[in-house]
Short mmCIF file of all heavy atoms in Angstrom, two decimals:
data_model
loop_
_atom_site.label_atom_id
_atom_site.label_comp_id
_atom_site.label_asym_id
_atom_site.label_seq_id
_atom_site.Cartn_x
_atom_site.Cartn_y
_atom_site.Cartn_z
N PRO A 535 -2.08 19.20 -7.57
CA PRO A 535 -1.70 19.11 -8.97
C PRO A 535 -2.24 17.82 -9.60
O PRO A 535 -2.70 16.85 -8.92
CB PRO A 535 -0.13 19.00 -8.87
CG PRO A 535 0.17 18.48 -7.56
CD PRO A 535 -0.95 18.85 -6.62
N ALA A 536 -2.21 17.75 -10.91
CA ALA A 536 -2.57 16.65 -11.69
C ALA A 536 -1.39 15.58 -11.65
O ALA A 536 -0.28 15.90 -11.90
CB ALA A 536 -2.90 16.94 -13.12
N PHE A 537 -1.85 14.36 -11.23
CA PHE A 537 -0.86 13.38 -11.22
C PHE A 537 -0.97 12.53 -12.54
O PHE A 537 -2.04 12.12 -13.04
CB PHE A 537 -1.16 12.34 -10.09
CG PHE A 537 -0.80 12.89 -8.70
CD1 PHE A 537 -1.70 13.79 -8.12
CD2 PHE A 537 0.29 12.45 -8.03
CE1 PHE A 537 -1.30 14.35 -6.91
CE2 PHE A 537 0.58 12.92 -6.79
CZ PHE A 537 -0.22 13.90 -6.24
N SER A 538 0.25 12.30 -13.21
CA SER A 538 0.18 11.57 -14.38
C SER A 538 0.26 9.97 -14.11
O SER A 538 -0.18 9.21 -14.93
CB SER A 538 1.43 11.90 -15.22
OG SER A 538 2.53 11.78 -14.58
N GLY A 539 0.65 9.67 -12.88
CA GLY A 539 0.58 8.31 -12.41
C GLY A 539 -0.85 8.05 -11.87
O GLY A 539 -1.55 9.04 -11.63
N GLU A 540 -1.14 6.81 -11.70
CA GLU A 540 -2.54 6.49 -11.19
C GLU A 540 -2.67 6.71 -9.76
O GLU A 540 -1.76 6.52 -8.90
CB GLU A 540 -2.73 4.96 -11.42
CG GLU A 540 -4.06 4.58 -10.95
CD GLU A 540 -4.36 3.06 -11.02
OE1 GLU A 540 -3.39 2.38 -11.48
OE2 GLU A 540 -5.42 2.53 -10.61
N VAL A 541 -3.75 7.40 -9.37
CA VAL A 541 -4.23 7.64 -8.08
C VAL A 541 -5.49 6.97 -7.79
O VAL A 541 -6.55 7.26 -8.36
CB VAL A 541 -4.39 9.19 -7.74
CG1 VAL A 541 -4.84 9.36 -6.27
CG2 VAL A 541 -3.02 9.89 -7.94
N ARG A 542 -5.48 5.85 -7.02
CA ARG A 542 -6.65 5.07 -6.77
C ARG A 542 -7.72 5.80 -5.90
O ARG A 542 -8.92 5.57 -6.15
CB ARG A 542 -6.27 3.70 -6.24
CG ARG A 542 -5.51 2.88 -7.21
CD ARG A 542 -5.17 1.44 -6.65
NE ARG A 542 -4.44 0.79 -7.75
CZ ARG A 542 -3.08 0.63 -7.69
NH1 ARG A 542 -2.36 1.12 -6.73
NH2 ARG A 542 -2.46 -0.07 -8.62
N HIS A 543 -7.23 6.51 -4.91
CA HIS A 543 -8.22 7.14 -3.97
C HIS A 543 -7.58 8.45 -3.62
O HIS A 543 -6.44 8.53 -3.23
CB HIS A 543 -8.47 6.27 -2.63
CG HIS A 543 -8.87 4.90 -2.91
ND1 HIS A 543 -10.20 4.54 -3.23
CD2 HIS A 543 -8.18 3.73 -2.92
CE1 HIS A 543 -10.25 3.30 -3.35
NE2 HIS A 543 -9.03 2.74 -3.23
N ARG A 544 -8.43 9.45 -3.67
CA ARG A 544 -8.11 10.85 -3.08
C ARG A 544 -8.93 11.08 -1.88
O ARG A 544 -10.24 10.99 -1.99
CB ARG A 544 -8.34 11.91 -4.12
CG ARG A 544 -7.36 11.82 -5.35
CD ARG A 544 -7.73 12.98 -6.27
NE ARG A 544 -6.93 12.79 -7.53
CZ ARG A 544 -5.86 13.51 -7.82
NH1 ARG A 544 -5.40 14.37 -6.97
NH2 ARG A 544 -5.21 13.27 -8.94
N LEU A 545 -8.36 11.52 -0.79
CA LEU A 545 -9.11 11.87 0.46
C LEU A 545 -8.65 13.20 1.00
O LEU A 545 -7.51 13.55 0.73
CB LEU A 545 -8.93 10.85 1.40
CG LEU A 545 -9.38 9.39 1.20
CD1 LEU A 545 -8.93 8.47 2.30
CD2 LEU A 545 -10.83 9.28 1.08
N HIS A 546 -9.49 13.81 1.68
CA HIS A 546 -9.07 15.07 2.42
C HIS A 546 -9.36 14.83 3.85
O HIS A 546 -10.42 14.53 4.22
CB HIS A 546 -9.89 16.25 1.79
CG HIS A 546 -9.60 17.54 2.59
ND1 HIS A 546 -8.27 18.05 2.53
CD2 HIS A 546 -10.20 18.30 3.45
CE1 HIS A 546 -8.23 19.28 3.21
NE2 HIS A 546 -9.42 19.32 3.86
N ILE A 547 -8.37 14.95 4.75
CA ILE A 547 -8.40 14.96 6.15
C ILE A 547 -7.84 16.22 6.63
O ILE A 547 -6.70 16.40 6.90
CB ILE A 547 -7.66 13.73 6.70
CG1 ILE A 547 -8.22 12.39 6.14
CG2 ILE A 547 -7.81 13.67 8.26
CD1 ILE A 547 -7.41 11.17 6.49
N GLY A 548 -8.80 17.23 6.68
CA GLY A 548 -8.29 18.61 7.06
C GLY A 548 -8.01 18.76 8.43
O GLY A 548 -8.69 18.34 9.37
N ILE A 549 -6.84 19.43 8.67
CA ILE A 549 -6.35 19.71 10.02
C ILE A 549 -5.86 21.14 10.04
O ILE A 549 -5.19 21.66 9.13
CB ILE A 549 -5.08 18.91 10.36
CG1 ILE A 549 -5.34 17.45 10.13
CG2 ILE A 549 -4.57 19.19 11.83
CD1 ILE A 549 -6.36 16.82 11.21
N GLU A 550 -6.25 21.99 11.01
CA GLU A 550 -5.85 23.38 11.15
C GLU A 550 -4.32 23.41 11.18
O GLU A 550 -3.71 22.53 11.89
CB GLU A 550 -6.49 24.10 12.27
CG GLU A 550 -8.04 24.30 12.10
CD GLU A 550 -8.31 25.21 10.99
OE1 GLU A 550 -7.58 26.34 10.80
OE2 GLU A 550 -9.32 24.97 10.18
N ASP A 551 -3.65 24.39 10.66
CA ASP A 551 -2.22 24.56 10.76
C ASP A 551 -1.68 25.13 12.07
O ASP A 551 -1.91 26.33 12.33
CB ASP A 551 -1.77 25.40 9.54
CG ASP A 551 -0.23 25.37 9.42
OD1 ASP A 551 0.43 24.78 10.31
OD2 ASP A 551 0.24 25.98 8.39
N PRO A 552 -1.05 24.38 12.91
CA PRO A 552 -0.66 24.96 14.19
C PRO A 552 0.53 25.91 13.93
O PRO A 552 0.78 26.70 14.91
CB PRO A 552 -0.16 23.61 15.01
CG PRO A 552 0.22 22.58 13.88
CD PRO A 552 -0.78 22.95 12.75
N SER A 553 1.15 25.80 12.90
CA SER A 553 2.40 26.81 12.72
C SER A 553 1.83 28.14 12.49
O SER A 553 2.64 29.21 12.45
CB SER A 553 3.23 26.35 11.53
OG SER A 553 2.60 26.49 10.29
N GLU A 554 0.53 28.38 12.25
CA GLU A 554 0.00 29.70 12.09
C GLU A 554 -0.46 30.30 13.42
O GLU A 554 -0.87 31.54 13.45
CB GLU A 554 -1.18 29.70 11.13
CG GLU A 554 -0.70 29.32 9.66
CD GLU A 554 -1.86 29.37 8.68
OE1 GLU A 554 -3.03 29.54 9.08
OE2 GLU A 554 -1.51 29.13 7.43
N VAL A 555 -0.41 29.53 14.44
CA VAL A 555 -0.88 30.09 15.71
C VAL A 555 0.15 31.05 16.33
O VAL A 555 1.37 30.75 16.18
CB VAL A 555 -1.18 28.89 16.72
CG1 VAL A 555 -1.35 29.37 18.14
CG2 VAL A 555 -2.31 28.01 16.23
N THR A 556 -0.24 32.10 16.89
CA THR A 556 0.64 33.05 17.48
C THR A 556 0.28 33.15 18.98
O THR A 556 -0.77 32.72 19.40
CB THR A 556 0.52 34.52 16.84
OG1 THR A 556 -0.79 34.88 16.93
CG2 THR A 556 0.84 34.46 15.40
N GLY A 557 1.24 33.76 19.68
CA GLY A 557 0.99 33.90 21.10
C GLY A 557 2.29 33.45 21.92
O GLY A 557 3.38 33.45 21.39
N SER A 558 2.03 33.10 23.17
CA SER A 558 3.08 32.68 24.03
C SER A 558 3.55 31.33 23.57
O SER A 558 2.98 30.57 22.85
CB SER A 558 2.56 32.55 25.43
OG SER A 558 1.66 31.40 25.55
N PRO A 559 4.79 31.02 23.94
CA PRO A 559 5.43 29.75 23.64
C PRO A 559 4.42 28.52 24.02
O PRO A 559 4.31 27.58 23.39
CB PRO A 559 6.71 29.61 24.42
CG PRO A 559 7.11 31.06 24.55
CD PRO A 559 5.83 31.83 24.71
N GLU A 560 3.75 28.62 25.24
CA GLU A 560 2.82 27.65 25.65
C GLU A 560 1.64 27.54 24.79
O GLU A 560 1.10 26.42 24.57
CB GLU A 560 2.45 27.94 27.16
CG GLU A 560 1.60 26.70 27.74
CD GLU A 560 2.17 25.34 27.60
OE1 GLU A 560 3.49 25.21 27.66
OE2 GLU A 560 1.53 24.36 27.54
N THR A 561 1.18 28.75 24.31
CA THR A 561 0.00 28.64 23.39
C THR A 561 0.30 27.94 22.17
O THR A 561 -0.41 27.05 21.57
CB THR A 561 -0.45 30.06 23.11
OG1 THR A 561 -0.87 30.70 24.28
CG2 THR A 561 -1.61 30.11 22.06
N ILE A 562 1.52 28.24 21.56
CA ILE A 562 1.95 27.58 20.34
C ILE A 562 2.20 26.17 20.58
O ILE A 562 1.79 25.28 19.83
CB ILE A 562 3.34 28.28 19.86
CG1 ILE A 562 2.97 29.72 19.46
CG2 ILE A 562 3.94 27.48 18.67
CD1 ILE A 562 4.12 30.60 19.14
N ARG A 563 2.81 25.74 21.71
CA ARG A 563 3.01 24.36 21.99
C ARG A 563 1.74 23.55 22.09
O ARG A 563 1.54 22.50 21.63
CB ARG A 563 3.77 24.22 23.33
CG ARG A 563 3.97 22.84 23.82
CD ARG A 563 4.87 22.83 25.11
NE ARG A 563 4.81 21.60 25.83
CZ ARG A 563 5.17 20.40 25.39
NH1 ARG A 563 5.60 20.30 24.20
NH2 ARG A 563 5.01 19.31 26.03
N GLN A 564 0.72 24.17 22.74
CA GLN A 564 -0.60 23.55 22.87
C GLN A 564 -1.23 23.34 21.49
O GLN A 564 -1.98 22.39 21.26
CB GLN A 564 -1.51 24.35 23.85
CG GLN A 564 -1.10 24.17 25.22
CD GLN A 564 -1.14 22.75 25.75
OE1 GLN A 564 -2.06 21.98 25.46
NE2 GLN A 564 -0.10 22.29 26.47
#
Side-chain angles (χ1 to χ4, degrees):
F537 286 78
S538 54
E540 179 183 0
V541 175
R542 292 185 180 100
H543 305 280
R544 290 178 189 260
L545 297 175
H546 180 67
I547 302 175
I549 308 289
E550 293 293 321
D551 188 354
S553 68
E554 292 183 358
V555 171
T556 58
S558 71
E560 186 56 29
T561 298
I562 293 167
R563 177 176 162 63
Q564 285 304 314

